Amino acid sequence: MKKGIYTSAEIKQLIEQMNLIYDFVRIVDPVECQELDFNNGRVIPAKNCYNVWNNDKRCAQCSSYKACLSRKRVEKNEYHEGKTFHILSFPVQILNEDGTIVESVLECITIKEGIEEGHSEGVKVKDDSALVDSLTGLLNWDGFYKEVRKKLMTTDQNKWAIVVCNYVNFKMINEIFGREKGNEVLIKTAEIIKSELAEDECCARLRGDRFGLLVHEEKLSEKFLVNELSNIDVIDESEFKIKVQIGVYPIKDRMTPVSIMCDRAAIAISEAQGFNKVVYFEDSMMKKIYYEKYITDEFEKALKNNELKMYMQPQVAEDGKIVGAECLTRWIRSDGSMIMPDQFIYVLERSELISRLDMYIWEKAAAKLKEWKNSEFKDLYISVNISPKDFFYFNACEYLNKLIEKYDIDRKKLKLEITESMMMVDEQKQLALVERLHESGFEIEIDDFGKGYSSLSLLKDIPADALKIDKQFLKESYNNAKSERILGSVVDMSKRLDMNVIVEGVENTRQLERLVELGCDRFQGFYFSKPIPVDEFEKLYITNKGMINNKEAA
Ligand code: C2E
Ligand code: MG
Ligand code: MG
């Protein structure tokens, strides 16, 4: 069997082939206890899966359920009516024509007469208590999926919506006030949600602090939910304010698996900026999710196929002399198309993939510095970007120090760009890491200063050698005199703190002249050159004898 995602046509073909080998083959959604069928290129629920065993409740030890959760093949025997059913459960992902993916299981069943000794007949079933959350008394997610499916199949005219909610800062309640308080909040939440439901609606605690509701769309009282849930008074001894996030998926197609409906409501939550508001799922959110999945899936392959390229953008002194370059990554696909960093770095930063990229690029930069050591480029430095997330995923200090030893290069030639946002999380710990890098001899540059929330006070704490002013700051500064005065004082302050000032995003002579007047030291921007492949950078350096001037006409 191939690994990965199947279209419905492929899965039908697979079932046909498997039917030649096994007595009975079917596709199931074990989370919903449902057999699946196909209609117009997409998966639809068919009869209840436990019908096969003549039972009216789900199998207690459903092997397909285990296969689905573990994404691994599971094998099991079931005994029924004097027969042994040997079930092989293969987890498969089916791609619907609308791009949604359904997690399901291919069951290949061999039926033998007789029951092996030591086994009793009959499928053990889950009793109803297994469908209830013991803390809140609401349904759990198994119970919820089942109940929602039942309601969707038995009512015609209603417009339903799935609502999912959770708290932004629930972990803090447990950590600061203890688990007991956390539990109280969950119980109170369950009461509030339940009080709001009509008789034919239902709700559940899906997991942790995440609750799910099936409601009539037109009756959904968003205001009530936000007000009540964000004003839970369980924590009365402090000013701590609980913050709720609510996502809604208005059900368009009842045949969609309930797990996907809940995922979509959750996607709306993840798209929400802020809290204490209700966000509705939109199809455009899926496009973003698929794009991000594509980036994550393709990245490892891209790394292997050498699709991630080191580009360089020159940094220039006041007199036009090229003093170094910033290393910026470009992802060049096999078809020649280019993916820019702002289209993939943020995706990689959600997992440890960002450190795979950074380790790779830093090593390329170190290797390049070694190659330049005894050449006409020997005076140049390379600045590399460090993602705030790198420090979470690996020991960046140790790795950088090893690179210096491996390539036998000067630490000062490999400059490190860190962003202020890195300091926003666990300031003391991050500061200690930067101090260690600085003490071991690396030059630290604070990147993107002026983008977002810059704090001047932070500057005195970070042991940095240079401040890189963001292009955004530059744009604003030339729009009004006040911002220009701010830029002036940032330069003054940096000088007093013994830091060089690099300006990024220089695009014209007028900007350059003013920045020189203000006392900035190094300049980077399209005025001199866009980021270019390394060989082009080297050519540019040689052709121009290490200088770049008046590029504005270009
Ligand atoms: P950054 O480090 O602030 O890099 C400067 C960005 O400004 C680059 O965008 C560069 O092309 C752009 N830029 C330079 N001069 C000008 C100009 O005159 N006008 C305008 N409009 N833009 C200019 P790029 O290459 O798209 O990189 C974006 C960001 O992605 C970088 O911002 C950096 O934070 C991140 N990045 C790039 N490569 C890597 C990498 O390998 N690892 C990590 N962690 N981050 C990277
Ligand atoms: Mg940078
Ligand atoms: Mg920058």
Side-chain angles (χ1 to χ4, degrees):
M1 256 173 72
K2 79 162 190 179
K3 275 197 167 170
I5 301 173
Y6 290 80
T7 61
S8 53
E10 285 172 328
I11 209 84
K12 273 193 204 157
Q13 213 176 12
L14 184 65
I15 292 175
E16 270 171 35
Q17 288 167 7
M18 293 297 192
N19 259 323
L20 301 173
I21 310 170
Y22 297 95
D23 296 320
F24 187 62
V25 180
R26 60 179 187 163
I27 287 280
V28 296
D29 175 348
V31 180
E32 282 193 35
C33 288
Q34 204 89 44
E35 275 189 37
L36 298 176
D37 205 346
F38 301 95
N39 187 14
N40 288 332
R42 71 192 178 98
V43 173
I44 54 163
K47 62 179 190 244
N48 281 349
C49 133
Y50 32 78
N51 282 356
V52 170
W53 315 115
N54 274 343
N55 247 295
D56 61 350
K57 291 199 179 113
R58 94 179 292 151
C59 309
Q61 301 295 329
C62 174
S63 49
S64 295
Y65 188 57
K66 280 188 196 153
C68 191
L69 289 186
S70 66
R71 294 235 174 136
K72 287 192 184 124
R73 189 186 102 138
V74 176
E75 226 169 304
K76 193 180 177 240
N77 282 341
E78 299 275 7
Y79 307 98
H80 194 65
E81 289 182 344
K83 292 187 183 118
T84 300
F85 296 79
H86 178 254
I87 309 165
L88 263 173
S89 303
F90 297 95
V92 284
Q93 292 179 304
I94 306 172
L95 180 69
N96 277 331
E97 270 183 6
D98 65 357
T100 51
I101 290 171
V102 181
E103 299 286 346
S104 54
V105 173
L106 178 74
E107 280 187 359
C108 300
I109 303 172
T110 314
I111 307 170
K112 280 192 213 148
E113 287 298 329
I115 294 177
E116 283 172 42
E117 218 174 293
H119 293 283
S120 57
E121 175 151 347
V123 180
K124 282 191 204 126
V125 293
K126 260 188 180 177
D127 64 39
D128 278 345
S129 67
L131 304 176
V132 172
D133 168 44
S134 56
L135 179 71
T136 59
L138 300 186
L139 294 171
N140 61 18
W141 64 301
D142 273 350
F144 185 64
Y145 287 0
K146 236 169 120 87
E147 193 62 24
V148 171
R149 173 60 53 212
K150 203 158 89 192
K151 287 190 189 299
L152 294 180
M153 295 322 242
T154 51
T155 51
D156 284 337
Q157 66 282 54
N158 302 324
K159 274 181 93 182
W160 293 101
I162 290 280
V163 180
V164 163
C165 57
N166 57 237
Y167 296 107
V168 183
N169 46 356
F170 185 73
K171 232 176 123 208
M172 282 174 77
I173 301 178
N174 276 339
E175 275 166 16
I176 301 173
F177 305 101
R179 285 189 71 84
E180 278 301 304
K181 279 282 174 214
N183 284 350
E184 278 180 44
V185 171
L186 296 176
I187 292 167
K188 184 83 192 157
T189 305
E191 281 168 15
I192 293 171
I193 289 176
K194 231 159 109 187
S195 74
E196 196 25 28
L197 292 190
E199 212 162 290
D200 58 344
E201 297 172 330
C202 69
C203 65
R205 180 162 79 111
L206 300 177
R207 61 175 161 77
D209 64 325
R210 177 157 285 181
F211 289 80
L213 293 78
L214 174 75
V215 294
H216 296 292
E217 196 187 339
E218 69 276 15
K219 287 194 209 142
L220 173 64
S221 171
E222 303 169 1
K223 235 180 168 172
F224 174 86
L225 275 180
V226 170
N227 279 348
E228 291 293 310
L229 296 180
S230 60
N231 281 308
I232 289 185
D233 57 2
V234 182
I235 299 148
D236 44 19
E237 73 240 49
S238 79
E239 295 193 347
F240 185 90
K241 270 270 167 222
I242 200 160
K243 295 169 185 168
V244 68
Q245 290 179 312
I246 301 176
V248 181
Y249 173 64
I251 299 175
K252 281 194 220 145
D253 177 358
R254 289 176 188 216
M255 294 304 193
T256 305
V258 182
S259 53
I260 288 189
M261 295 180 192
C262 291
D263 283 351
R264 288 180 182 175
I267 286 167
I269 287 183
S270 67
E271 287 294 301
Q273 309 277 334
F275 48 85
N276 292 352
K277 60 179 177 187
V278 176
V279 184
Y280 278 72
F281 173 84
E282 286 164 25
D283 287 337
S284 60
M285 294 176 179
M286 278 319 274
K287 280 194 194 117
K288 210 171 145 224
I289 301 280
Y290 286 127
Y291 174 74
E292 291 172 7
K293 187 170 177 340
Y294 167 80
I295 294 289
T296 320
D297 289 351
E298 292 293 300
F299 177 72
E300 295 277 350
K301 241 188 287 161
L303 212 52
K304 252 191 237 134
N305 297 344
N306 210 13
E307 289 179 12
L308 291 143
K309 304 282 183 203
M310 179 166 79
Y311 271 46
M312 285 187 171
Q313 188 175 31
Q315 288 187 359
V316 175
E318 190 185 326
D319 59 359
K321 187 173 184 304
I322 302 175
V323 286
E326 177 175 6
C327 170
L328 293 155
T329 305
R330 298 290 180 265
W331 181 342
I332 316 244
R333 302 303 328 267
S334 49
D335 63 2
S337 60
M338 187 189 277
I339 314 180
M340 297 297 282
D342 59 0
Q343 294 171 300
F344 68 87
I345 298 277
Y346 78 96
V347 183
L348 303 183
E349 281 184 330
R350 300 216 180 119
S351 68
E352 86 294 350
L353 290 180
I354 187 63
S355 26
R356 304 260 289 113
L357 171 72
D358 281 343
M359 287 194 226
Y360 176 80
I361 291 290
W362 301 346
E363 174 140 23
K364 271 186 172 270
K368 193 39 96 178
L369 282 171
K370 182 178 171 79
E371 196 188 308
W372 281 356
K373 230 173 149 181
N374 295 312
S375 72
E376 56 269 67
F377 309 110
K378 65 178 184 313
D379 295 329
L380 299 178
Y381 61 79
I382 299 178
S383 303
V384 292
N385 287 285
I386 296 190
S387 158
K389 301 285 164 62
D390 283 328
F391 289 107
F392 287 110
Y393 295 121
F394 70 111
N395 188 337
C397 300
E398 194 184 41
Y399 183 80
L400 285 162
N401 277 310
K402 279 199 177 138
L403 280 184
I404 298 293
E405 277 166 34
K406 179 173 171 190
Y407 291 96
D408 187 24
I409 49 173
D410 178 3
R411 275 185 176 70
K412 297 261 175 284
K413 288 263 184 311
L414 186 70
K415 296 185 195 278
L416 311 178
E417 295 192 7
I418 60 163
T419 57
E420 282 174 286
S421 61
M422 192 176 130
M423 299 298 158
M424 301 295 174
V425 212
D426 206 347
E427 190 179 321
Q428 289 313 316
K429 203 167 148 209
Q430 302 290 53
L431 207 56
L433 283 166
V434 177
E435 269 163 5
R436 255 177 63 208
L437 282 168
H438 193 246
E439 274 161 19
S440 61
F442 285 104
E443 289 202 353
I444 308 286
E445 300 182 337
I446 301 175
D447 199 2
D448 296 349
F449 188 84
K451 181 175 169 183
Y453 304 98
S454 304
S455 105
L456 276 174
S457 67
L458 200 64
L459 288 187
K460 69 176 178 1
D461 298 325
I462 306 179
D465 303 278
L467 187 72
K468 269 192 100 172
I469 294 179
D470 190 68
K471 49 188 179 296
Q472 196 59 39
F473 206 121
L474 216 61
K475 281 202 181 97
E476 277 162 25
S477 299
Y478 285 89
N479 285 344
N480 75 58
K482 195 169 158 202
S483 323
E484 194 177 324
R485 279 208 300 279
I486 298 175
L487 181 58
S489 31
V490 169
V491 177
D492 279 350
M493 169 115 165
S494 309
K495 296 283 150 184
R496 258 180 268 141
L497 293 168
D498 223 12
M499 282 194 272
N500 280 320
V501 177
I502 307 165
V503 196
E504 178 175 278
V506 181
E507 290 182 349
N508 57 53
T509 319
R510 197 171 60 89
Q511 285 177 334
L512 180 63
E513 282 170 359
R514 277 300 289 130
L515 293 164
V516 170
E517 247 172 66
L518 285 173
C520 301
D521 305 283
R522 281 177 268 151
F523 310 89
Q524 181 182 341
F526 296 170
Y527 177 68
F528 301 104
S529 165
K530 289 197 166 166
I532 45 179
V534 181
D535 55 344
E536 272 182 43
F537 171 80
E538 291 172 339
K539 233 183 273 160
L540 175 94
Y541 187 83
I542 292 172
T543 324
N544 289 356
K545 300 198 170 59
M547 304 288 287
I548 316 184
N549 284 315
N550 58 27
K551 271 292 200 129
E552 192 163 22

